[in-house]
Amino acid sequence: MRDRFYPSDLTDEQWALIEPLLPPPHWDGRKEKWPRREIVDAIAYVNRTGCAWRPAPRDFPPWQTVYWHFARWEAQGVTRQVLDILRRRLRRAEGRAPEPSAAVLDTQSVKGADTVGRESRGYDAHKKINGRKRFVLTDTLGLLLAVMVRPASVQDRAGATTMLLGLYLTSPARVVFADQGFAGRLVAWARRLLGVSVHIVGKPAGQRGFQVHPKRWVVERTLGWLLAHRRLARDYERHPEISEAMIRWAAIDLLVRRLARGQPAQRPGRRPLEYVR
């Protein structure tokens, strides 16, 4: 066990939420050399601090072991299962049904590092960003339902068809709120083929400066929460699937912290200027 702890480490309460959801250690019953908790703490450290796998602190398990577990669990669909179970648990704790009846859709374009290959990156002419685009679906509490990463050149409406089809197959939600970038033929297509109502939440007439938009602010807040994990401030992953996995791990981190805390985080109030030294 480590004798040094980091702010990204799981508490005992948080680990108790994740541990039962991980797959059995090995099919033949062999004991793993490194504790599962150390592996998950190392993944959380990389995600929260934004450091690369190789230079992670030496008091974690070897980075090859950590990445092997990370890739193995992703290939087995473990992160999706853990995310779904924790989201349902938090929704029940909030007095909601386990599955949502409505969702909120948005995109986020982020710059791609030099490790992002040419075949999986593009240029978002609207945002003027060369990199990748994240398509994100949340429920009305802002809890992640699905994520998809594509080149930034992919149009919002083109990527939304895949997101809405996945929502139709995996969730009872049949109402989706989105911004004006998804308006047009997508709305008619979703209603005709999927029975999903896409409601476009546009800007109020005459809006000047920043203004919170009904429904849409939920997913925008979630994107802000996710960016607290510095690995997501830019896309460093060679494969889009790994980017999606990192986003799911960040969402899992937010869920376990909120479940263990029992309430949303409260920011401390600002101190009056005369008391600031």
Side-chain angles (χ1 to χ4, degrees):
M1 292 293 292
R2 288 180 292 128
D3 55 3
R4 181 185 301 173
F5 297 93
Y6 301 94
S8 58
D9 288 352
L10 298 174
T11 65
D12 292 341
E13 294 81 3
Q14 294 164 2
W15 174 240
L17 293 170
I18 290 183
E19 183 180 19
L21 306 180
L22 298 177
H26 200 276
W27 64 271
D28 63 359
R30 284 185 295 169
K31 184 178 179 180
E32 293 178 338
K33 180 177 179 180
W34 297 97
R36 289 283 183 91
R37 185 170 179 175
E38 297 287 312
I39 301 294
V40 174
D41 280 342
I43 295 173
Y45 181 91
V46 169
N47 209 354
R48 174 67 74 165
T49 64
C51 92
W53 294 99
R54 290 174 184 267
R58 296 298 179 89
D59 50 355
F60 284 122
W63 74 267
Q64 299 95 329
T65 302
V66 175
Y67 189 81
W68 183 85
H69 280 83
F70 170 85
R72 174 170 171 258
W73 288 340
E74 180 60 22
Q76 294 176 339
V78 173
T79 55
R80 290 181 177 86
Q81 296 171 17
V82 172
L83 178 64
D84 290 344
I85 292 172
L86 293 177
R87 184 185 63 250
R88 296 185 191 110
R89 191 173 298 174
L90 181 54
R91 285 183 60 84
R92 283 193 292 265
E94 295 285 339
R96 304 291 188 95
E99 294 293 344
S101 59
V104 192
L105 174 64
D106 202 359
T107 64
Q108 180 186 58
S109 294
V110 293
K111 293 181 179 180
D114 56 356
T115 50
V116 176
R118 184 186 306 174
E119 69 283 352
S120 65
R121 71 190 299 153
Y123 183 72
D124 185 336
H126 178 64
K127 301 289 182 62
K128 296 180 174 56
I129 289 178
N130 188 325
R132 287 181 174 149
K133 181 177 290 187
R134 298 163 180 166
F135 292 81
V136 173
L137 266 172
T138 73
D139 64 7
T140 54
L141 293 176
L143 309 179
L144 187 67
L145 293 173
V147 61
M148 180 179 72
V149 176
R150 292 292 183 269
S153 54
V154 173
Q155 294 296 314
D156 288 359
R157 288 184 291 270
T161 57
T162 302
M163 297 295 287
L164 293 177
L165 181 58
L167 180 72
Y168 172 79
L169 295 175
T170 61
S171 172
R174 293 297 178 263
V175 176
V176 176
F177 299 94
D179 64 21
Q180 291 174 326
F182 299 95
R185 289 182 292 178
L186 174 71
V187 177
W189 174 86
R191 181 179 293 276
R192 184 179 68 255
L193 295 183
L194 305 179
V196 174
S197 298
V198 179
H199 294 272
I200 303 300
V201 182
K203 294 182 179 180
Q207 176 184 339
R208 308 182 76 180
F210 175 76
Q211 184 173 335
V212 174
H213 297 157
K215 304 298 183 182
R216 274 177 49 192
W217 69 271
V218 174
V219 67
E220 291 167 354
R221 180 186 62 177
T222 299
L223 292 172
W225 286 343
L226 293 173
L227 285 180
H229 300 77
R230 295 188 177 185
R231 184 81 177 194
L232 306 183
R234 178 174 293 198
D235 200 317
Y236 296 94
E237 317 308 331
R238 185 168 299 276
H239 303 290
E241 297 79 10
I242 302 301
S243 294
E244 295 169 0
M246 279 295 186
I247 294 171
R248 280 190 286 270
W249 274 107
I252 290 171
D253 177 61
L254 293 170
L255 284 169
V256 296
R257 290 176 185 274
R258 185 164 170 179
L259 281 166
R261 189 170 52 238
Q263 62 182 6
Q266 300 293 326
R267 291 184 179 274
R270 288 190 175 184
R271 300 170 62 187
L273 291 177
E274 59 268 27
Y275 293 106
V276 176
R277 295 291 186 267

